[in-house]
C-alpha cells in the first residue's frame, strides 16, 4: 500500500494514534508513583539550584529599586548593578539579624512556656467545664461538656504519646535540619551569583529563544513572560506587606488587651495570612486554641477581633494594595488552591492567586481573542 500525502487522514491512522495514546496514558497512570519518585530523586540533586533561582527572583525587585532610584546617577551600569546587589544583600541580612535578635527569642520563649504549662492549662479548662456543668440546672449541656472534656484528655494523651514515641528521631531530625541549613547557604550563594550575572543570563536566554522561535512568536513570548513576572512580583511583594501589617495590628490588639503569647500568636497570624482563603482561618483557630487553654473568654474576644480584622483586610487593605490587576473569580482561586496544594504543597497554596490571575489573563487575552478572530474570519465580519 502506498502512503500518499493524505495518508494521515485515513481512519486507521486516527484509531492507531488513539490506541497508542490510551496505552501510554495507562502506563503512566499505572506507574505514576514510580515516576514521581524518580522526579523527586532528580529534584533532590538540583534542589539547591532551584532554591537559588527562587531566592534570586525574590531579591531581584529590591535590587531593581536600588538600581532605578538610589544609584541612578552612577554612569557605569555594571558598577551600578553590583552596588544594587550588594546593598540588597546588606538590607536582607540586617532584616534577618533583626528578626532573630528581636523576635525569635520571644517566640521560642513563648513556645517553651506554653509547652511546659499545656498540661496545667488543660486541667484548668477541664475544671472550668466541670464547674459549669455543675451550675447548669437545666442539664441540657451536661452531655456535650462531658464530650468536650473527654476530647481535651485525648488531645493531651496524644501529644504526650507522640513526643514519647518520636524522641528516637531527634538525631535524624537534627541531621535533616543541618542538611537544610547547608542547602540554604548554598542556595543563598547561588542567588548572589545569579543576581550579579542577571543581565548576561537574560541576554543569553533571549538569544537562544530567538534562534528557536519566529520573530513574532519571540516578541509575544517576551511580552507574556513580562506580564507573568509583573503579576508574581506584585503579588509576592504586597502579600508579604499585607501579612506584616495584619501581624502588627494583631500584636497591638493583643498587647493592649493584656492577652498572653501575643508575639507567638501574632507571628502565626501574620504567616498564615500569606495563604489565601484558608490561611486566616487556620491562624484564627491556632490562636484561639492557645488562648482557650489559658483564658477562655479572651479566645472569644480574639475570634471576634480576627473576624473584624480579616473583613477590613479583605475589603479595604488588599484591594488598595493589589488593585484590580489580580481580580479573579473566587471559584478560580479555590480551584487553584486545591490543585496547587495537591501538586506543589505549601508553595502551590501560597501562589494560588497569581497562578489564577495568569490563567485568567491567558484565557481572556489569548484564547478568547483567538476564538473571536476565527469567528470573524469564518463569517467575514
Amino acid at each position: 500500500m502506498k502512503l500518499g500525502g493524505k495518508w494521515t487522514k485515513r481512519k486507521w491512522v486516527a484509531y492507531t494514534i488513539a490506541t497508542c495514546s490510551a496505552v501510554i496514558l495507562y502506563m503512566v497512570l499505572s506507574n505514576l508513583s514510580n515516576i514521581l519518585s524518580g522526579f523527586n530523586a532528580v529534584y533532590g540533586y538540583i534542589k539547591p539550584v532551584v532554591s537559588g533561582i527562587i531566592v534570586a527572583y525574590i531579591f531581584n525587585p529590591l535590587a531593581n529599586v536600588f538600581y532605578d532610584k538610589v544609584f541612578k546617577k552612577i554612569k557605569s551600569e555594571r558598577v551600578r548593578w553590583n552596588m544594587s546587589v550588594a546593598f540588597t544583600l546588606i538590607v536582607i541580612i540586617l532584616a534577618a539579624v533583626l528578626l532573630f535578635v528581636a523576635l525569635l527569642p520571644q517566640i521560642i520563649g513563648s513556645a517553651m512556656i506554653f509547652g511546659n504549662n499545656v498540661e496545667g492549662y488543660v486541667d484548668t479548662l477541664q475544671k472550668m467545664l466541670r464547674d459549669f456543668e455543675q451550675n447548669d440546672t437545666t442539664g441540657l449541656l451536661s452531655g456535650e461538656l462531658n464530650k468536650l472534656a473527654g476530647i481535651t484528655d485525648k488531645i493531651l494523651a496524644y501529644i504526650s504519646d507522640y513526643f514519647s514515641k518520636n524522641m528516637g528521631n531527634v538525631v535524624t531530625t537534627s541531621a535533616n535540619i543541618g542538611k537544610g541549613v547547608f542547602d540554604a547557604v548554598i542556595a543563598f550563594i547561588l542567588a548572589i551569583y545569579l543576581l550579579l550575572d542577571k543581565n548576561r543570563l537574560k541576554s543569553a536566554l533571549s538569544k537562544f529563544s530567538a534562534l528557536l522561535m519566529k520573530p513574532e512568536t519571540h516578541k509575544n513570548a517576551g511580552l507574556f513572560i513580562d506580564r507573568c513576572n509583573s503579576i508574581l512580583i506584585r503579588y509576592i511583594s504586597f502579600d508579604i506587606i499585607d501579612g506584616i501589617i495584619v501581624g502588627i495590628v494583631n500584636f497591638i490588639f493583643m498587647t493592649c488587651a493584656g492577652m498572653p503569647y501575643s508575639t507567638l500568636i501574632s507571628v502565626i497570624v501574620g504567616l498564615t495570612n500569606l495563604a489565601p482563603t484558608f490561611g486566616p482561618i487556620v491562624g484564627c483557630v491556632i490562636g484561639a486554641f492557645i488562648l482557650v487553654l489559658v483564658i477562655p473568654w479572651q479566645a472569644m474576644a480574639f475570634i471576634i477581633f480576627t473576624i473584624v480584622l480579616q473583613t477590613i483586610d479583605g475589603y479595604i487593605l488588599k484591594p488598595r494594595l493589589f488593585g484590580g490587576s489580580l481580580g479573579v473569580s473566587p471559584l478560580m482561586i479555590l480551584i487553584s488552591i486545591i490543585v496547587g496544594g495537591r501538586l506543589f504543597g505549601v508553595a502551590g497554596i501560597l501562589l494560588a492567586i497569581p497562578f489564577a490571575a495568569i490563567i485568567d489573563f491567558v484565557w481572556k487575552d489569548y484564547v478568547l481573542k483567538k476564538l473571536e478572530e476565527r469567528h470573524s474570519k469564518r463569517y467575514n465580519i
Side-chain angles (χ1 to χ4, degrees):
M1 180 179 63
K2 294 182 180 181
L3 297 178
K6 298 182 179 180
W7 70 274
T8 54
K9 296 181 180 180
R10 296 179 180 273
K11 290 185 178 180
W12 67 268
V13 175
Y15 292 150
T16 303
I17 293 174
T19 304
C20 293
S21 301
V23 172
I24 293 172
L25 179 62
Y26 173 76
M27 295 297 294
V28 169
L29 294 177
S30 300
N31 299 277
L32 186 61
S33 59
N34 296 329
I35 294 173
L36 293 176
S37 299
F39 279 122
N40 289 332
V42 174
Y43 177 71
Y45 289 103
I46 64 173
K47 184 178 179 181
V49 178
V50 176
S51 300
I53 294 172
I54 295 173
V55 172
Y57 182 79
I58 294 173
F59 289 177
N60 185 63
L62 182 57
N64 287 335
V65 171
F66 281 109
Y67 184 83
D68 296 331
K69 304 294 182 182
V70 180
F71 302 115
K72 61 182 179 180
K73 294 183 179 181
I74 298 177
K75 295 181 179 180
S76 175
E77 292 188 1
R78 184 173 182 82
V79 174
R80 184 178 168 189
W81 179 248
N82 290 343
M83 290 286 290
S84 301
V85 173
F87 273 78
T88 298
L89 296 175
I90 291 172
V91 170
I92 296 297
I93 292 172
L94 287 177
V97 170
L98 181 64
L99 181 67
F100 277 96
V101 171
L103 202 59
L104 195 63
Q106 296 186 40
I107 296 173
I108 295 175
S110 299
M112 291 179 65
I113 292 172
F114 178 78
N116 293 330
N117 297 330
V118 65
E119 187 172 354
Y121 293 152
V122 173
D123 291 339
T124 302
L125 179 62
Q126 289 177 334
K127 183 177 181 301
M128 185 192 70
L129 292 174
R130 293 188 184 98
D131 292 341
F132 188 78
E133 180 185 359
Q134 291 175 0
N135 295 327
D136 181 24
T137 57
T138 61
L140 296 175
L141 300 176
S142 59
E144 301 301 325
L145 292 174
N146 285 330
K147 291 180 181 179
L148 185 58
I151 291 173
T152 56
D153 283 333
K154 291 179 180 179
I155 292 174
L156 185 60
Y158 175 79
I159 294 173
S160 301
D161 185 62
Y162 177 83
F163 280 106
S164 63
K165 288 183 178 179
N166 290 274
M167 285 301 291
N169 296 329
V170 172
V171 176
T172 304
T173 304
S174 301
N176 291 332
I177 292 174
K179 185 178 181 298
V181 171
F182 178 77
D183 289 344
V185 172
I186 297 297
F188 188 79
I189 295 172
L190 284 172
I192 296 174
Y193 283 99
L194 288 170
L195 280 174
L196 291 173
D197 290 340
K198 184 190 80 168
N199 294 328
R200 187 171 62 86
L201 291 172
K202 284 180 64 178
S203 177
L205 289 174
S206 178
K207 291 178 180 178
F208 180 73
S209 59
L211 293 174
L212 301 177
M213 302 178 185
K214 296 179 180 179
E216 186 67 22
T217 305
H218 181 259
K219 180 182 177 181
N220 292 333
L223 294 174
F224 174 77
I225 292 173
D226 286 341
R227 187 164 179 183
C228 292
N229 176 68
S230 176
I231 290 174
L232 283 172
I233 291 298
R234 182 179 177 86
Y235 176 79
I236 292 172
S237 303
F238 288 122
D239 195 36
I240 293 173
I241 294 173
D242 181 67
I244 293 173
I245 293 173
V246 169
I248 291 174
V249 172
N250 187 85
F251 175 77
I252 294 172
F253 166 75
M254 294 187 68
T255 303
C256 294
M259 295 182 179
Y261 306 113
S262 57
T263 303
L264 176 64
I265 294 175
S266 297
V267 171
I268 293 172
V269 168
L271 289 175
T272 54
N273 196 76
L274 299 176
T277 308
F278 301 114
I281 299 174
V282 174
C284 179
V285 170
I286 295 174
F289 175 75
I290 294 173
L291 290 174
V292 79
L293 295 176
V294 186
I295 307 175
W297 70 266
Q298 287 188 347
M300 182 59 65
F302 173 79
I303 292 173
I304 295 173
F305 172 77
T306 301
I307 294 173
V308 174
L309 178 60
Q310 290 301 323
T311 302
I312 296 173
D313 180 52
Y315 289 96
I316 299 177
L317 184 58
K318 281 184 176 177
R320 288 184 177 274
L321 286 175
F322 296 112
S325 61
L326 295 176
V328 292
S329 67
L331 177 61
M332 187 175 292
I333 292 175
L334 184 60
I335 294 173
S336 299
I337 291 173
I338 295 171
V339 176
R342 291 291 182 89
L343 293 177
F344 305 106
V346 176
I349 295 174
L350 294 176
L351 298 176
I353 290 180
F355 284 158
I358 291 172
I359 294 171
D360 183 67
F361 95 75
V362 168
W363 172 257
K364 291 178 180 177
D365 293 2
Y366 291 93
V367 178
L368 291 183
K369 283 186 177 180
K370 286 290 184 182
L371 292 175
E372 289 176 1
E373 289 176 2
R374 290 181 181 178
H375 181 78
S376 300
K377 290 179 179 179
R378 179 176 296 178
Y379 295 100
N380 297 319
I381 297 176

